[in-house]
Amino acid sequence: MACVLAVRAVMPPPSDMVKVAIEWPGANAQLIEIDQKKPLASIIREVCDGWSLSSSEQFGLRYADGPQLYITEQNRGDIKNGSILRLAISPMRAARQLLERIQSHGIDARLEALKELAKLSADPSFATEFIHTEGLGTLARLVESGTHFGEMLAFTLTAFLELMDHGIMSWDLISVSFIKQIAAYVNQPMMDVSILQRSLAILESMVLNSHSLYQRVAQETPVTQLITHLSNQEIQTYAIALINALFLKTPEDRRQEMASTLAQKHLRGIILNHIIRGNRPVKAEMAHQLYVLQVLTFNLLEERMMTKMDPNDQKQRDIIFELRRIAFDGDSDPSGTEKRKAIYTKDYRMLGFTNPVNPAIDFTQTPPGMLALDNMLYLAKVHQDTYIRIVLENSSREDKHECPFGRSAIELTRMLCDILQVGELPNEGCNDFHPMFFTHERAWEEFFCICIQLLNKTWKEMRATAEDFNKVMTVLREQVTRSLAMKPPSLEQLRVKLCSLSYSEVLRLRQSERMSQDDFQSPPIIELHERIQPEILELIKQQRLSRLCEGSCFRKLGNRRRQEKFWFCRLSLNHKVLHYGDLDESPQGEVPFELLTDKILVSDIKAVLTGKDCPHMKEKSALKQNKELLELAFSILYDPDEALNFVATNKYEYCIWRDGLSALLGKELGSDLTRSDLDTLMSMEMKLRLLDLENITIPEAPPPVPKEPSTYNFTYNYG
């Protein structure tokens, strides 16, 4: 044993040497050590010499498992000890051979070539060579000819999309005839689903990557036809993604026009009935597209939100006159100008404007600008009884508890714009859509009308005065955000939830949350807390390690969300090895260790980095541009100076792995999830331990020990 230990101590594995197996069809595999300092061409030449193969420049190395990517000077650092590689023809030779086979006259040979091309096109090295041999032009001509259908066309479109996603060739170089042919596939009602999916994805990429192509695609692809595809569950995600892309790239002065067209074609109702209330749950990508549509729709309000009222514009002033007329209908206008002005000032004060002499000034601050006035007019005209009741109920009070309608409506509009982030661009990776906004054509206005009634109700419950205005708005914001978090399926359900969330209920929830966060401060309770906490932390630690043993799926960053690649990682049951490997799609259930060909010894892990410190940042510009993904990124640094990069699928998985890796390294568990779990479990455990002490005052100091009794004659003799 001493000799073995001595050998291990004297001969550490060189950091620039990697042991791999290399396969070649019909021959025994070569087990070799790759010197990472040597040129890749020299290594390939030595491998070819081992099998007596000439012209080594016509060969390359690829991974035998997973995506089977070619190994280049740029990515050779990713080769791990124990990797299985395969000697293959070089990317240039493969590109030329495939191009020849694609142009052959045999149908079967061409189909097999296109099938192989669709798989190889994801490889950057191959894609570069294929594009340089004018391969993209050949694929475009195959599509433009209109003579290919079924599988052959599906493989052609898949390869074309994969090749373009590498960003080697500009979308602006695509011909008009190609666009027309792709649009024709989308416009045909009985087209094959796989072809429709790829055609819609190609058109979406055109719109997002080229302004000139946006105009052509918008011209060739009627929105009416795209909306008909929403009834097909297999392609509805692709269809709404293209609708969103067209909506996003439409010039600002024409977005209202496009929104009107979508409304006329009943887009909202179709989404509600076929997607939100369909017979399948809304998946993550569809939830993201619905969120994007929700954001783009609310952003139509930005122009009015940022428009100041012109106090000298008579048309705008007439809207304020209309609010007064509806509220105080029946009051005859006085004849004299001065008298009329005094009456108007009194009425505007009763309407709750901050500047009753000239209420137009109230709408000169942006946000909310003219949007607040639009909301008030909608309430006055569509929900007239509610409007009159709110105004008269508060204008007739003489106890200083009146709720100023005008000021409240303006501040409420500003608050709702802030909550729903009106004017902000959609956030990549966010799925936070609200089903209720798809249940009404005027969802924004109806949302305002519900909230203004809640504001009036909360004002009365709080017995508020003008000095309490900001306090009431704070409570109202809490009521609205708590209710939105429950994702009510309809506006009526929102109304019910808001009504149940009274001021007293808000106070109760605050108190309950405060009690769950704050421990009793008496010394015995503090001592009990300190005694229990290590047990709870150990419980959390074991749970995290158990989850790592089950494993998780992680995403590989790509240019297209719907074509994400995945890989899986899990911890061995003895907590000594991390096993990982690539997958073709997101797995359903546990992945066996046998399928995970790569591994890292836990003892080799040096550190775990998160966020901007990750090596991701040097390689993936997508992470720099996307705060959502950046918050889910972490990396394992291990011997010899290598990194394994992770992008978790959600915040929960990120916290689980961050905690689990910290536990393996003997470090503190510092994630938000640990703090939340610790608070919850500590609160439950403390309440269980103190269950018999309910409603009993706990003394600050222990009670004094009583004196010994004079006799012990009170003892009971069981004999």
Side-chain angles (χ1 to χ4, degrees), residues 89-133:
I89 59 174
S90 67
M92 181 186 296
R93 187 177 168 194
R96 289 176 178 173
Q97 287 185 1
L98 272 177
L99 192 57
E100 291 175 2
R101 290 165 58 194
I102 290 169
Q103 295 172 317
S104 67
H105 297 292
I107 299 292
D108 292 338
R110 188 183 302 176
L111 177 61
E112 284 302 312
L114 287 169
K115 185 177 181 180
E116 188 175 341
L117 176 64
K119 183 185 294 185
L120 267 175
S121 296
D123 188 297
S125 302
F126 171 83
T128 302
E129 297 297 338
F130 190 80
I131 291 172
H132 287 166
T133 57

Side-chain angles (χ1 to χ4, degrees), residues 338-355:
E338 290 299 323
K339 194 172 183 181
R340 183 186 300 115
K341 187 175 180 181
I343 293 294
Y344 280 11
T345 299
K346 177 186 174 185
D347 288 348
Y348 290 143
R349 183 175 288 108
M350 293 170 67
L351 275 170
F353 288 112
T354 306
N355 299 277

Side-chain angles (χ1 to χ4, degrees), residues 98-217:
L98 272 177
L99 192 57
E100 291 175 2
R101 290 165 58 194
I102 290 169
Q103 295 172 317
S104 67
H105 297 292
I107 299 292
D108 292 338
R110 188 183 302 176
L111 177 61
E112 284 302 312
L114 287 169
K115 185 177 181 180
E116 188 175 341
L117 176 64
K119 183 185 294 185
L120 267 175
S121 296
D123 188 297
S125 302
F126 171 83
T128 302
E129 297 297 338
F130 190 80
I131 291 172
H132 287 166
T133 57
E134 302 298 327
L136 264 176
T138 301
L139 295 181
R141 287 190 291 273
L142 288 176
V143 173
E144 291 168 11
S145 68
T147 57
H148 289 67
F149 302 97
E151 273 191 316
M152 190 172 292
L153 179 57
F155 288 134
T156 303
L157 296 178
T158 300
F160 182 88
L161 188 57
E162 288 281 4
L163 291 166
M164 289 300 295
D165 273 345
H166 291 290
I168 300 169
M169 181 175 173
S170 171
W171 283 95
D172 288 315
L173 299 176
I174 302 301
S175 68
V176 173
S177 57
F178 179 84
I179 299 171
K180 287 186 174 182
Q181 188 60 54
I182 296 295
Y185 296 142
V186 171
N187 296 332
Q188 289 182 28
M190 301 302 292
M191 183 56 64
D192 183 78
V193 167
S194 60
I195 295 172
L196 273 175
Q197 289 176 338
R198 290 155 179 79
S199 298
L200 288 165
I202 289 172
L203 293 177
E204 182 198 357
S205 290
M206 289 180 182
V207 171
L208 293 176
N209 290 286
S210 169
H211 178 70
S212 60
L213 293 189
Y214 149 73
Q215 296 174 325
R216 176 62 65 175
V217 172

Side-chain angles (χ1 to χ4, degrees), residues 317-368:
R317 292 171 64 88
D318 286 344
I319 300 176
I320 300 178
F321 293 152
E322 182 69 4
L323 290 175
R324 176 195 168 276
R325 186 196 66 77
I326 295 173
F328 306 112
D329 190 28
D331 294 351
S332 58
D333 283 349
S335 55
T337 303
E338 290 299 323
K339 194 172 183 181
R340 183 186 300 115
K341 187 175 180 181
I343 293 294
Y344 280 11
T345 299
K346 177 186 174 185
D347 288 348
Y348 290 143
R349 183 175 288 108
M350 293 170 67
L351 275 170
F353 288 112
T354 306
N355 299 277
V357 175
N358 187 4
I361 297 174
D362 287 19
F363 301 97
T364 56
Q365 186 177 358
T366 57

Side-chain angles (χ1 to χ4, degrees), residues 270-285:
I270 292 171
I271 288 175
L272 182 66
N273 295 322
H274 290 281
I275 299 175
I276 297 176
R277 295 177 180 172
N279 54 13
R280 293 199 308 190
V282 177
K283 294 185 178 179
E285 174 59 21

Side-chain angles (χ1 to χ4, degrees), residues 394 397-403 455-469 471-472 475 503-504 507:
N394 288 286
R397 300 187 67 154
E398 297 180 358
D399 55 1
K400 296 185 179 181
H401 290 290
E402 67 276 3
C403 176
L455 192 157
N456 192 55
K457 173 175 173 286
T458 302
W459 187 283
K460 288 188 288 186
E461 291 173 347
M462 295 177 66
R463 297 282 296 164
T465 62
E467 289 76 18
D468 301 318
F469 186 85
K471 182 180 178 182
V472 174
V475 173
Y503 176 55
S504 59
L507 291 179

